[in-house]
Amino acid sequence: MKVTLLGTGAADGWPNAFCRCDSCSDARRLRDFRTQTAALVDDALMLDFGPDAPGAAVRRGVSLADVRHVLITHAHADHLAPQTLLFRSWVEGAGDLELIGPADALDVCRPWVGPDAEVRFRPVVADESLHVGSYDVRILPAQHKVFRDGDAVLYDVTGPDGTRLLWATDTGVWRSDWYEGVADAGFDAVFLEETFGDREDLSDGHLGLSGFGTMVEGMRGVGAITGATDVVAVHLGHHNPPIGKLRRRLQELGARPGRDGEVLDMGRPAQRRVFVTGGARSGKSRYAEGVLAGIDDVVYVAAGGPRTGDPDWDRRVEVHRDRRPASWTTVEDTDVAGVLRSARRPVLVDCLGTWLASRLDHHDAWGNSELDAVRADVEDLLDAWRSCAVPVVAVSNEVGSGVVPATASGRMFRDELGRLNAAIAELADEVVFMVAGQAITVR
């Protein structure tokens, strides 16, 4: 199954539009925005469908035209926006749609369905099993309610390829006997809510970090979560610590925060390619390091290779090294493509500008127009970037935004780096532009 996270935020999103707390301020600074939690599976199945979901799909370039089934957990407004049924009906030939969820949630939808719309309603309760298109779905209980017990559920979904996920939002900590319902499930991915950070006093119908840990431990105890399970925290709100600290806290629990727009090809190694570019001293490296904050085992590739006899460069390198976790492995290697192909741990490449300069040096291409060998190296790097089986972050420079270089070699470098940046960005899952220490999410 391919899962696209359209949103990973709590009801009020993260940051909360009305809040200036440290957590919200940090999210704004990083432009790390989360809208209400919802997901799309294989373009055919929706997991929850709140008011943010259609807009999130549009912004991500994702079509919902092929959605034929919607699994609704409950009727709270951030999980169910029945007016979207009206908007869908304005599309001629939209096709049939099956709404599955607690009876109370389906009743909220009925007034929004036209008399000729091809919409079917399928009420469910916990402990049921059913076939939904090409998916097998089990209904699980939620420690959550809108008005009464039983009007909120969770979903255990097995895809046609045999991969299996748990959609567990919203819920408080399960009763001890509920874990047997997922015994030996061996989920490929668990999407588990983590709303309140250290403020679990705010609601017993949601999880904070302590409750999240209790749920993960309980599911591990019955074989629902294994060493191969990707445990993804969703429904994240601003009561959590800033995202860097949250990553570290979740890592201690064997989990990670989800990210809006993230795509998981379940059953395959997690892939995420983030490209960070910007001008000199714009904060590129610091931001890139923050993307992997909280991960102890990262390979940092100094892509220009070793450089000797330059005290100023040595000081710069020392500042960067002191800022990185001591557990990270530093590799000074211009064979970035080789590193990416063999990587089994997340990789940070810093930076593509120094890498390109080193390739121009290697092929003695500065003083001539024979760039075929350099461009072959670029194609090799692009192929490795495209196929890398682990998360990878690459940093580069924007050298085309300033004055026109006075030399032919400078202009050639500017042009070749611009082409490389554009090609890397085209293949990236996320592109971030840094300016004056501020991050702007380009895509």
Side-chain angles (χ1 to χ4, degrees):
M1 289 186 287
K2 182 183 77 171
V3 181
T4 302
L5 291 175
L6 296 177
T8 57
D12 53 346
W14 187 15
N16 180 305
F18 305 96
C19 183
R20 295 193 184 98
C21 74
D22 289 345
S23 181
C24 288
S25 297
D26 181 71
R28 290 190 185 95
R29 180 180 63 82
L30 294 174
R31 298 188 66 82
D32 190 3
F33 304 140
R34 286 172 168 78
T35 59
Q36 296 164 349
T37 294
L40 174 64
V41 179
D42 295 333
D43 299 329
L45 177 73
M46 282 289 298
L47 297 167
D48 280 327
F49 201 48
D52 280 347
V58 170
R59 290 189 296 275
R60 299 291 172 183
V62 174
S63 173
L64 303 181
D66 293 326
V67 171
R68 292 293 174 264
H69 314 278
V70 182
L71 302 182
I72 304 165
T73 55
H74 60 293
H76 277 148
D78 57 315
H79 293 262
L80 176 61
Q83 66 271 23
T84 55
L85 296 171
L86 175 62
F87 307 151
R88 184 179 184 273
S89 72
W90 296 344
V91 177
E92 187 174 352
D96 65 300
L97 183 68
E98 181 178 39
L99 301 179
I100 299 164
D104 289 358
L106 299 186
D107 287 344
V108 172
C109 297
R110 295 181 194 277
W112 293 93
V113 177
D116 299 324
E118 299 178 76
V119 177
R120 305 187 309 279
F121 297 91
R122 195 168 183 178
V124 295
V125 296
D127 300 323
E128 278 191 75
S129 297
L130 55 151
H131 297 294
V132 178
S134 58
Y135 303 88
D136 292 320
V137 177
R138 296 179 62 244
I139 318 302
L140 301 175
Q143 195 68 271
H144 192 82
K145 65 181 181 180
V146 182
F147 293 113
R148 59 188 180 85
D149 292 341
D151 64 2
V153 299
L154 311 177
Y155 292 102
D156 169 357
V157 181
T158 301
D161 59 356
T163 55
R164 190 172 179 182
L165 68 83
L166 173 63
W167 186 252
T169 179
D170 294 350
T171 186
V173 176
W174 274 1
R175 290 177 2 199
S176 58
D177 57 311
W178 287 1
Y179 293 101
E180 289 303 316
V182 292
D184 300 319
F187 290 111
D188 294 280
V190 168
F191 301 95
L192 180 61
E193 77 136 84
E194 196 287 285
T195 307
F196 284 129
D198 293 315
R199 291 297 312 276
E200 292 189 332
D201 57 299
L202 296 173
S203 171
D204 60 4
H206 289 285
L207 300 175
L209 284 162
S210 176
F212 185 94
T214 299
M215 286 282 286
V216 170
E217 182 181 2
M219 284 190 273
R220 279 209 173 94
V222 297
I225 291 176
T226 70
T229 304
D230 191 5
V231 182
V232 184
V234 294
H235 209 268
L236 299 164
H238 71 129
H239 293 290
N240 278 289
I243 190 63
K245 293 181 181 178
L246 178 60
R247 283 195 187 99
R248 292 190 287 274
R249 298 280 297 275
L250 287 171
Q251 186 185 24
E252 293 171 359
L253 303 175
R256 63 180 182 84
R259 193 177 184 95
D260 284 27
E262 180 179 353
V263 179
L264 292 82
D265 277 323
M266 291 168 50
R268 298 181 182 180
Q271 288 181 284
R272 181 176 169 227
R273 291 170 293 271
V274 180
F275 178 49
V276 183
T277 186
R281 297 292 188 180
S282 61
K284 305 183 298 295
S285 295
R286 186 181 293 275
Y287 180 89
E289 291 160 9
V291 172
L292 298 174
I295 302 177
D296 291 331
D297 204 5
V298 172
V299 176
Y300 180 96
V301 184
R307 185 168 168 177
T308 58
D310 187 338
D312 179 64
W313 181 262
D314 291 341
R315 284 192 294 271
R316 288 170 179 256
V317 169
E318 185 177 358
V319 169
H320 278 235
R321 185 177 289 120
D322 290 345
R323 197 170 62 207
R324 299 192 297 266
S327 60
W328 287 18
T329 301
T330 299
V331 176
E332 293 182 329
D333 197 339
T334 61
D335 183 16
V336 177
V339 173
L340 295 181
R341 288 195 177 96
S342 62
R344 297 295 178 268
R345 297 170 287 168
V347 176
L348 196 163
V349 179
D350 194 356
C351 76
L352 297 183
T354 55
W355 175 83
L356 180 61
S358 74
R359 303 323 293 160
L360 289 162
D361 286 340
H362 178 75
H363 295 294
D364 194 23
W366 287 104
N368 59 63
S369 58
E370 296 298 324
L371 294 171
D372 289 350
V374 175
R375 289 173 179 171
D377 288 347
V378 168
E379 288 303 318
D380 188 44
L381 175 63
L382 293 174
D383 179 71
W385 170 258
R386 182 189 296 109
S387 60
C388 184
V390 298
V392 55
V393 182
V395 178
S396 192
N397 302 297
E398 286 298 323
V399 296
S401 302
V403 298
V404 176
T407 64
S409 60
R411 292 190 291 273
M412 178 268 291
F413 178 75
R414 174 201 62 184
D415 294 346
E416 293 303 310
L417 184 58
R419 293 186 183 101
L420 171 58
N421 287 349
I424 287 284
E426 180 65 25
L427 297 172
D429 300 306
E430 182 177 355
V431 180
V432 175
F433 179 68
M434 297 296 301
V435 57
Q438 304 302 306
I440 300 172
T441 301
V442 179
R443 190 182 72 244

